[in-house]
Amino acid sequence: LIHLIGERPNVCSNVHLPAQSGSSAVLERMRRGYTREAYLALVERMRLTIPDLTLSTDVIVGFCGETDEEHQMTVSLMEQVRFDMAFMFKYSTREKTHAHRTMKDDVPEAVKHDRLKEVIDTFFSNCEAKNQAELGRVHLVLVEGPSKRNPDELVGRSCTNKKIIFPSNEVSRRNDTVAVRTPRRGDYVAVRVDSVSAQSLRGTPLMLDTMAEFYSNPMHDELFGANAMPRATATVQ
């Protein structure tokens, strides 16, 4: 699967890889079946195979018996992996689970709150810094529809599953500068990133495009320059 994602641009290069904790001891208590070291080795393998990979994850703080040291290992995992999306929660007891039957929910609520805040702050700080590298890049964006906040803007997703917002300007198709129209839901649009935040990218629509043309057209570099997304040599089927 990893090699398939790396080889084919028509497969989204985003993987959801739940970590839950950065501490092997906590992972063992959670009965997750892997260690911190195994998780990081898998991340490294995927990034070597999929250069434009983005990662999302799940993180739980304050699991039964979690110490300050174990929590800091989760923070360090967030720093090391630099996830692109994360679902972060405080632990709460669920009936009929192994933890509910055999462990005590002994981390105070105030401590859980502080630990969750630290994890969230670390995630967003890393995201904003990481997204700075997107400035000037050109993504092929699948249009999802109008922005909920501004009807004059459109929202879509890149092949890395990043949300990109851009004005609903009329644009032409590749190799046809005469016929222009506003992009619609389901269209592919080449968008240049002009500004970033921790949660989204904003850009300028350049043209209506297709996946096959964007990734394999011999004029790709001339049209978009060296900042266009990679995987141009892959085969679209």
Side-chain angles (χ1 to χ4, degrees):
L1 178 60
I2 293 172
H3 286 283
L4 184 66
I5 296 172
E7 292 167 359
R8 296 180 180 266
N10 57 339
V11 179
C12 184
S13 54
N14 171 263
V15 175
H16 185 68
L17 195 66
Q20 305 295 0
S21 173
S23 163
S24 294
V26 173
L27 292 171
E28 184 176 3
R29 294 201 296 275
M30 289 179 169
R31 307 177 89 183
R32 294 295 299 177
Y34 56 85
T35 63
R36 173 193 178 96
E37 292 73 23
Y39 185 92
L40 290 173
L42 179 56
V43 168
E44 181 180 9
R45 180 185 169 199
M46 288 193 296
R47 283 185 165 155
L48 287 172
T49 309
I50 313 167
D52 54 331
L53 175 73
T54 57
L55 288 171
S56 59
T57 195
D58 299 329
V59 175
I60 295 174
V61 302
F63 187 73
C64 305
E66 184 186 65
T67 65
D68 288 339
E69 182 181 3
E70 289 168 342
H71 166 67
Q72 287 305 317
M73 293 187 74
T74 297
V75 175
S76 73
L77 184 81
M78 302 290 285
E79 291 278 13
Q80 186 170 346
V81 178
R82 293 165 64 91
F83 296 101
D84 299 273
M85 176 61 69
F87 302 92
M88 299 161 283
F89 307 95
K90 294 183 294 183
Y91 172 74
S92 59
T93 303
R94 292 186 180 180
E95 292 186 4
K96 300 182 180 179
T97 63
H98 175 73
H100 178 254
R101 293 193 302 269
T102 64
M103 301 180 196
K104 183 179 179 181
D105 182 10
D106 55 357
V107 178
E109 193 65 24
V111 174
K112 290 181 184 179
H113 178 274
D114 290 344
R115 290 178 181 176
L116 180 60
K117 183 180 185 304
E118 185 175 10
V119 164
I120 290 173
D121 288 346
T122 301
F123 166 72
F124 279 110
S125 176
N126 288 335
C127 260
E128 190 157 8
K130 189 175 182 181
N131 279 345
Q132 292 297 320
E134 297 285 353
L135 287 169
R137 300 190 77 180
V138 176
H139 286 271
L140 186 66
V141 177
L142 177 62
V143 180
E144 295 181 333
S147 167
K148 294 179 180 179
R149 296 186 177 183
N150 186 346
D152 295 326
E153 293 181 323
L154 295 170
V155 177
R157 295 276 172 176
S158 70
C159 68
T160 56
N161 200 32
K162 294 204 174 202
K163 183 167 74 172
I164 301 184
I165 304 166
F166 56 95
S168 55
N169 299 342
E170 289 187 337
V171 290
S172 62
R173 288 190 174 276
R174 181 191 291 265
N175 302 324
D176 183 0
T177 58
V178 177
V180 297
R181 68 171 174 83
T182 302
R184 298 187 288 260
R185 182 178 182 180
D187 282 339
Y188 283 108
V189 183
V191 178
R192 183 188 66 241
V193 178
D194 299 325
S195 64
V196 303
S197 69
Q199 294 179 295
S200 63
L201 313 177
R202 286 184 172 271
T204 300
L206 302 178
M207 65 175 67
L208 292 163
D209 215 340
T210 66
M211 190 175 290
E213 289 287 340
F214 184 84
Y215 288 112
S216 62
N217 191 286
M219 297 292 289
H220 186 267
D221 289 341
E222 183 176 331
L223 285 166
F224 302 124
N227 286 329
M229 283 299 293
R231 309 169 82 189
T233 58
T235 302
V236 179
Q237 296 183 349

